Amino acid sequence: MTQTDDFFEQMTQLFDDSGANLLDEAPYFIGMMSGTSLDGMDAVLCEFFDDGAPSVIASHSLPFDDELRDALLALTAPNGVADYILDNQLGFESELDVYGWASVYYANFAAQVVLELLAKANVSADKVSAIGCHGQTVRHRPQWSFSLQLLDPNVLAERTGIAVVSDFRRRDMAVGGQGAPLVPAFHQAMFGMDDGVKAVLNLGGIANITVLDHDGTGTPMGFDTGVANLLMDAWVARHTGASYDKDGEMARSGVVIEPLLSLLLSHPFFDKHPPKSTGREEFHLAWLDEMLGKLNHDHPALRYSPADVQATLAELTAVSASRDIARFVKAGSLIVCGGGALNTHLMARLQAHLPDLDVINSQQYGVHPTLVEGMAFAWLARQNILGRAGNVPAVTGADKAVVLGQVCF
């Protein structure tokens, strides 16, 4: 038998119909997530039940260091790399130089997170079937059928000794989808067993909703509702140096600027019909500054403070998300996850706009809000290894259900 024959025999065994051989020997999956907030990386070590729902064995998080975060911020901002290159001492000559360097840096950082997670859990790498690592989205352009996730999976696989499933969006886009949001299928598997739970709202940098069992067949429906923590985090960092508004204290101390809220809600994204997805390409500080300039021009006598702007940004998230939720869900529970679920002011504003729903933190279901998306990518990695579809065409607009992600063994 040649080396080539031996390789293909191994691959055939790995991707047999049940995947049982692999999962018996390596029952764990790792899911990793760093979202549009760009604050750091979360990782979860999961074991799966027979119904496909995961149990978290251990979790680990690390903040990005300034060097990586600055590069990611530059890459995620349209035309944002020029100033970064001038300030950096590594001799970069173009945006592609920064992208290539950062993809390796990001992968090494992810490997550090994985190795520390395994040490914390006292689990060896050979017990893990695969890592589901989304990478960092640096450009998401569904109108042009592409999305770029920054990560070198080869480095991550080599450093950890574990297969890596990555690049989840583009297979969906190849069949006509937007490649986002990716988590509704997992939300259905995780929370859909409770008839009282009608929807899940993820509040990361961007907000997305999943309506569970949308059509009575167990199929979810979902889409991005708009901005969540992204602008609030950027605004509080500009004015206080903090990375986020803890418990919404800054927003709670301010007063909503109604003319500004109207301007922000006039963004074309809010009038789009699903399927729809968005990101930093549309919602960023430069856009907010532009809206503030228009506000000052139209209302020259208006006086407001940074806290008032923060209160308005929190209200923007609450209003835009609740409007979409109210269209599809009239009663029952709304589970909120993501970092925004820890913002007590934002949670209160959501409840105020959704009086007929019970707005609850996912912790009440035994899942910490910041771990849900990591669990989703562990689930998506498992779907890939088992040869099962990970997208929901009704969510992304794809022509058909497909297996998501590419594997680096």
Side-chain angles (χ1 to χ4, degrees), residues 4-290:
T4 301
D5 292 335
D6 184 55
F7 173 79
F8 281 110
E9 182 178 330
Q10 292 179 43
M11 293 306 98
T12 300
Q13 179 179 349
L14 180 63
F15 287 104
D16 66 4
D17 290 339
S18 67
N21 293 337
L22 174 68
L23 299 188
D24 286 344
E25 297 176 5
Y28 302 116
F29 286 82
I30 291 174
M32 310 190 74
M33 183 63 186
S34 63
T36 47
S37 294
L38 293 177
D39 49 359
M41 187 177 294
D42 300 315
V44 290
L45 177 68
C46 295
E47 187 172 15
F48 285 80
F49 300 112
D50 291 340
D51 62 2
S55 172
V56 175
I57 305 301
S59 64
H60 190 55
S61 300
L62 283 180
F64 288 139
D65 60 35
D66 290 342
E67 191 170 23
L68 178 56
R69 188 170 191 273
D70 288 347
L72 294 176
L73 280 170
L75 287 164
T76 55
N79 303 313
V81 172
D83 289 339
Y84 173 81
I85 289 176
L86 291 175
D87 294 337
N88 192 277
Q89 305 300 312
L90 294 178
F92 298 130
E93 296 181 359
S94 71
E95 187 171 45
L96 286 177
D97 292 342
V98 180
Y99 181 91
W101 171 84
S103 68
V104 175
Y105 197 120
Y106 182 98
N108 278 307
F109 179 82
Q112 178 187 348
V113 175
V114 168
L115 294 174
E116 291 181 10
L117 171 67
L118 293 176
K120 179 188 289 188
N122 195 27
V123 170
S124 61
D126 62 359
K127 296 300 182 183
V128 181
S129 286
I131 298 167
C133 189
H134 175 261
Q136 183 65 52
T137 301
V138 294
R139 195 72 82 247
H140 183 63
R141 296 295 197 189
Q143 68 271 34
W144 298 320
S145 300
F146 83 85
S147 188
L148 295 178
Q149 277 66 58
L150 180 145
L151 167 71
D152 188 337
N154 304 279
V155 173
L156 180 55
E158 185 64 28
R159 285 280 313 277
T160 61
I162 303 171
V164 175
V165 187
S166 62
D167 194 14
F168 291 93
R169 295 196 193 278
R170 291 194 293 176
R171 185 69 178 93
D172 179 82
M173 299 181 108
V175 291
Q178 295 207 5
L182 294 174
V183 294
F186 168 74
H187 287 160
Q188 183 69 45
M190 186 69 193
F191 301 111
M193 73 291 293
D194 188 332
D195 291 339
V197 178
K198 301 302 182 182
V200 180
L201 175 64
N202 177 58
L203 295 175
I206 297 298
N208 56 71
I209 178 182
T210 300
V211 181
L212 300 176
D213 193 17
H214 168 61
D215 58 2
T217 66
T219 301
M221 185 270 289
F223 53 91
D224 288 353
T225 63
V227 68
N229 301 321
L230 194 161
L231 288 177
M232 289 188 286
D233 290 351
W235 185 258
V236 77
R238 173 186 283 183
H239 289 278
T240 72
S243 58
Y244 66 100
D245 187 8
K246 182 176 174 57
D247 290 327
E249 292 174 356
M250 183 178 181
R252 188 181 289 109
S253 69
V255 177
V256 174
I257 309 164
E258 294 295 342
L260 176 60
L261 180 61
S262 296
L263 276 175
L264 299 177
L265 286 169
S266 69
H267 192 293
F269 178 81
F270 297 118
D271 291 329
K272 289 181 179 179
H273 295 287
K276 61 178 183 175
S277 56
T278 189
R280 284 181 176 269
E281 297 80 8
E282 295 187 272
F283 295 103
H284 44 75
L285 269 181
W287 171 71
L288 176 59
D289 289 338
E290 180 184 347

